[in-house]
């Protein structure tokens, strides 16, 4: 996993990132393959992205200039992620223990993506600083910003796909623009969602939700009465959104992973919230990351965040084997 640090405006950051990749002889022509649907989807979605999030378009342009690669192809490729590609896994949760709020997430993907995954520190001139993790570049799958807002996405099989801004760019947007869960929920209203996804949000005040999103409907799921936790996997568990599940709830054992996390958090039996989250992600309380090798699918990194104390821990690999280590870069985030 790479750990780059970027500082400045969006275009300059993109240019620096692209120049680094160019020196490493990255050939995007060997990576980017778009069919006719993806090309059309990407082209229509680019104009939407430029209206909602023009700063990130500047970063994309900087990167493509650094790589000497066509902007349109690269932007379309990024915008197709999370909605026009093969299904992925991932389990995320948040919980409160001893008046501290914790976040945990397994990122489950094909193993080849482990080597190209990144944990990036952004110190932006015109946005909140954050640390974001991604198996791609520029768009994010999870992160924590300087104000103590944690944001993550999980993939779902959509019932429909329309032009819009995918969940990975949404995570990036919320990390840059929002300080609290309430602000993030307000930002979600009217967001041009292209397919189906879960967005999990938690802040330093202990406010946590899962936004269940489709192009047709947005439902905000909060902890049930008497519960101080919330879980998201790769389906919509709420009655309000069940009709929007295109899968059988079991994308890479999504329902089983959801129940493992839910049942463990229902009866917390550990005083150390960080260790408890790590144990859940590592499969100590049931199936979570123990995928059959024949699936060619694995947990390629795991994250645990002590949101209350602005501390990040990450296992770069399957947590059954990889050790969680503190990311000391979190101390560089402005508070």
């Amino acid at each position: 996993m790479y750990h780059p640090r970027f500082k400045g405006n969006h275009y300059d950051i993109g240019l620096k990132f692209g120049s680094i990749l160019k020196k490493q002889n990255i050939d995007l022509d060997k990576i980017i393959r778009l069919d006719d649907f993806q090309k059309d989807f990407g082209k229509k979605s680019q104009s939407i992205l430029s209206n909602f999030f023009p700063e990130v378009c500047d970063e994309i342009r900087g990167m493509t200039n650094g790589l000497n690669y066509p902007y349109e192809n690269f932007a379309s490729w990024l915008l197709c992620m999370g909605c026009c590609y093969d299904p992925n896994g991932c389990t995320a949760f948040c919980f409160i223990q001893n008046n501290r709020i914790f976040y945990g997430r397994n990122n489950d993907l094909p193993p080849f993506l482990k080597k190209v995954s990144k944990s990036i520190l952004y110190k932006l001139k015109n946005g909140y600083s954050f640390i974001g993790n991604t198996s791609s570049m520029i768009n994010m799958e999870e992160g924590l910003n300087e104000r103590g807002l944690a944001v993550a996405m999980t993939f779902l099989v959509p019932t429909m796909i329309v032009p819009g801004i995918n969940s990975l760019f949404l995570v990036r947007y919320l990390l840059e623009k929002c300080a609290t869960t309430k602000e993030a929920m307000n930002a979600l209203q009217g967001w041009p969602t292209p397919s189906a996804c879960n967005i999990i949000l938690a802040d330093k005040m202990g406010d946590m939700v899962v936004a269940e999103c489709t192009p047709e409907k947005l439902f905000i799921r909060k902890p049930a009465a008497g519960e101080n936790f919330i879980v998201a996997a790769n389906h919509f568990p709420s009655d309000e959104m069940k009709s929007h599940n295109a899968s059988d709830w079991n994308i890479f054992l999504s329902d089983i992973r959801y129940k493992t996390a839910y049942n463990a958090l229902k009866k917390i039996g550990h005083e150390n919230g960080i260790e408890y989250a790590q144990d859940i992600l590592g499969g100590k309380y049931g199936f979570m990351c123990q995928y059959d090798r024949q699936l060619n699918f694995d947990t390629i990194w795991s994250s645990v965040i002590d949101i209350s104390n602005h501390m990040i821990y990450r296992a770069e690999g399957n947590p059954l084997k990889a050790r969680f280590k503190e990311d000391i870069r979190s101390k560089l985030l402005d508070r």
Side-chain angles (χ1 to χ4, degrees):
M1 198 173 203
Y2 298 104
H3 307 91
R5 303 181 184 189
F6 296 123
K7 183 177 182 180
N9 63 49
H10 287 76
Y11 178 84
D12 289 344
I13 288 173
L15 184 63
K16 180 179 180 180
F17 200 173
S19 299
I20 291 171
L21 296 176
K22 184 71 173 178
K23 290 179 180 178
Q24 295 175 345
N25 296 315
I26 300 298
D27 186 357
L28 291 182
D29 284 324
K30 294 181 179 179
I31 299 172
I32 296 176
R33 296 283 190 272
L34 300 174
D35 60 28
D36 289 341
F37 175 82
Q38 292 166 342
K39 290 177 182 176
D40 182 66
F41 171 88
K43 182 178 180 180
K44 292 176 180 177
S45 296
Q46 284 177 42
S47 61
I48 301 172
L49 182 65
S50 65
N51 288 329
F52 276 80
F53 200 2
E55 302 94 330
V56 86
C57 295
D58 291 339
E59 188 171 330
I60 296 171
R61 193 165 299 281
M63 179 170 280
T64 53
N65 286 346
L67 281 164
N68 192 28
Y69 187 82
Y71 173 93
E72 292 76 13
N73 285 6
F74 188 65
S76 292
W77 179 64
L78 293 175
L79 283 159
C80 286
M81 292 178 181
C83 50
C84 298
Y85 295 143
D86 293 333
N88 297 320
C90 303
T91 313
F93 54 82
C94 298
F95 65 98
I96 297 173
Q97 185 186 33
N98 297 329
N99 297 316
R100 292 162 63 186
I101 182 162
F102 300 92
Y103 156 95
R105 184 173 183 269
N106 277 350
N107 212 70
D108 303 342
L109 293 164
F112 79 91
L113 289 169
K114 179 181 176 181
K115 291 184 179 180
V116 300
S117 294
K118 305 160 192 71
S119 180
I120 306 173
L121 169 63
Y122 276 91
K123 300 274 287 184
L124 296 163
K125 279 188 175 180
N126 55 341
Y128 292 129
S129 298
F130 66 90
I131 293 175
N133 299 330
T134 181
S135 58
S136 174
M137 52 192 82
I138 297 180
N139 52 28
M140 298 292 145
E141 287 149 70
E142 64 174 353
L144 175 74
N145 72 13
E146 65 178 81
R147 299 299 298 272
L149 177 67
V151 186
M153 53 74 66
T154 66
F155 171 90
L156 278 82
V157 176
T159 57
M160 64 183 300
I161 301 174
V162 299
I165 308 176
N166 64 29
S167 57
L168 289 85
F169 277 117
L170 175 54
V171 170
R172 170 76 191 261
Y173 180 90
L174 297 177
L175 288 170
E176 282 195 28
K177 306 290 186 182
C178 300
T180 65
T181 295
K182 184 176 181 180
E183 284 185 20
M185 286 192 292
N186 289 336
L188 282 168
Q189 306 299 323
W191 186 264
T193 302
S195 61
C197 67
N198 285 308
I199 301 294
I200 190 164
L201 303 163
D203 63 24
K204 295 181 76 170
M205 284 81 72
D207 190 6
M208 64 183 90
V209 302
V210 172
E212 300 181 350
C213 310
T214 72
E216 302 169 295
K217 188 174 181 179
L218 168 67
F219 176 72
I220 301 297
R221 177 163 55 89
K222 300 181 178 182
E227 296 179 351
N228 61 355
F229 64 89
I230 200 156
V231 182
N234 305 108
H235 61 278
F236 293 138
S238 66
D239 292 336
E240 289 81 357
M241 298 293 284
K242 283 182 178 178
S243 64
H244 296 274
N245 282 313
S247 71
D248 60 357
W249 286 37
N250 220 19
I251 303 171
F252 294 105
L253 304 175
S254 175
D255 193 38
I256 294 174
R257 288 184 279 111
Y258 180 93
K259 289 176 179 176
T260 293
Y262 182 92
N263 291 333
L265 293 168
K266 185 78 171 176
K267 48 182 180 181
I268 295 177
H270 200 303
E271 285 298 313
N272 188 314
I274 294 170
E275 291 182 4
Y276 195 67
Q278 293 174 355
D279 287 346
I280 294 172
L281 295 173
K284 185 174 181 179
Y285 298 96
F287 182 88
M288 187 62 68
C289 59
Q290 304 96 316
Y291 294 105
D292 190 319
R293 289 185 179 181
Q294 294 181 353
L295 289 175
N296 193 33
F297 194 77
D298 200 6
T299 299
I300 64 172
W301 81 73
S302 296
S303 297
V304 171
I305 302 174
D306 179 347
I307 297 174
S308 300
N309 291 306
H310 232 79
M311 299 172 71
I312 299 172
Y313 301 84
R314 190 170 52 254
E316 298 186 2
N318 190 303
L320 280 170
K321 299 178 181 179
R323 293 180 59 190
F324 281 89
K325 298 179 180 179
E326 183 179 357
D327 188 338
I328 60 174
R329 296 175 305 164
S330 62
K331 296 179 173 63
L332 299 176
L333 293 175
D334 295 329
R335 310 235 180 144

